[in-house]
Amino acid sequence: MTTGRRAQKMEETRAKLIRTARAAFAEKGYAAASMDELTARAGLTRGALYHHFGDKTGLLRAVIDQIDAEMVAKARAARDRAESPWLGFVAEGVAYIELALEPEIQRIVLLDGPAVLGDPSRWPGQNACLRETTETVQALIEAGIVRPVDAEAAARLINGAALDAALWVAAAAEPRAVLAKAIEAFRCLASGLLAAPPPQPPPGDHVTAIEN
């Protein structure tokens, strides 16, 4: 087998294990999904799992990395649809919180993930998000939209608020009810960074909109 073909085969095996584990973790939860079941469903051996991920915990980490990348992409898409850099900044955080309603994300990333892998704020994916948020805050400061605060400090607080809100929603008995409260509070917290308060529509506009 050539080196290229061997590498392709290894990548296919790795992808198959992640795909199978992702489905099993979403369906049964991390604790209830056995390694024997995972490898049998993937049509592979335990040796393949050990070779690629070390153990079941390593496999969970790989699954979460994949889902986390998808979450980041969805949050960025919400940011890119916004009408201004500031609205995009807030929309990205709100979108992240809203993802806590998705059953797969809720169970694997927000419930099982912290229980097995520890504090999510210390995961590699969160560190990457922190760097990007810091850059975004710095750009907003330079544009005069956000107050001249320390960009990293603001980014840590904003990211921490969004993450904690998502964890709260995921663990709640009534996630949708909690989501509404979490998003309202997140928007209020974020608006405190503004150099000037956001413009409010004239009272007449609100009345007209209701009447129409």
Side-chain angles (χ1 to χ4, degrees):
M1 185 181 291
T2 65
T3 302
R5 177 56 183 159
R6 186 182 297 108
Q8 180 182 352
K9 184 66 176 178
M10 289 179 66
E11 185 56 37
E12 289 173 355
T13 298
R14 189 176 189 279
K16 185 182 292 186
L17 282 166
I18 291 175
R19 184 169 58 251
T20 303
R22 182 169 174 170
F25 293 160
E27 178 186 347
K28 296 186 174 184
Y30 173 81
S34 71
M35 288 195 293
D36 287 337
E37 177 188 10
L38 289 174
T39 52
R41 287 175 64 173
L44 299 166
T45 64
R46 272 202 182 201
L49 189 154
Y50 292 140
H51 175 75
H52 288 279
F53 304 104
D55 55 17
K56 185 180 173 185
T57 301
L59 183 54
L60 174 64
R61 187 176 291 108
V63 169
I64 287 179
D65 286 346
Q66 184 180 80
I67 298 175
D68 186 59
E70 295 169 6
M71 292 173 69
V72 169
K74 290 177 181 179
R76 286 176 181 169
R79 175 196 66 189
D80 294 342
R81 289 193 298 268
E83 297 178 358
S84 71
W86 169 254
L87 292 177
F89 177 68
V90 177
E92 186 172 3
V94 169
Y96 185 89
I97 299 169
E98 290 175 334
L99 288 170
L101 289 182
E102 294 192 11
E104 181 185 51
I105 291 173
Q106 193 175 98
R107 186 163 204 172
I108 299 176
V109 180
L110 300 173
L111 295 177
D112 285 347
V116 178
L117 303 178
D119 183 1
S121 67
R122 297 183 178 276
W123 295 353
Q126 290 296 327
N127 292 333
C129 286
L130 174 61
R131 288 193 297 272
E132 182 169 338
T133 304
T134 301
E135 292 171 0
T136 300
V137 172
Q138 186 60 47
L140 291 169
I141 291 171
E142 292 172 359
I145 298 170
V146 163
R147 300 180 187 187
V149 297
D150 184 89
E152 182 182 346
R156 285 183 177 278
L157 293 175
I158 287 294
N159 280 13
L163 174 59
D164 213 45
L167 292 168
W168 181 32
V169 171
E174 297 183 14
R176 289 191 176 277
V178 170
L179 178 69
K181 295 186 286 187
I183 289 177
E184 181 183 12
F186 179 81
R187 290 184 184 279
C188 288
L189 288 170
S191 67
L193 293 172
L194 286 169
Q200 298 295 322
D205 288 356
H206 181 62
V207 173
T208 301
I210 295 176
E211 290 176 349
N212 291 339

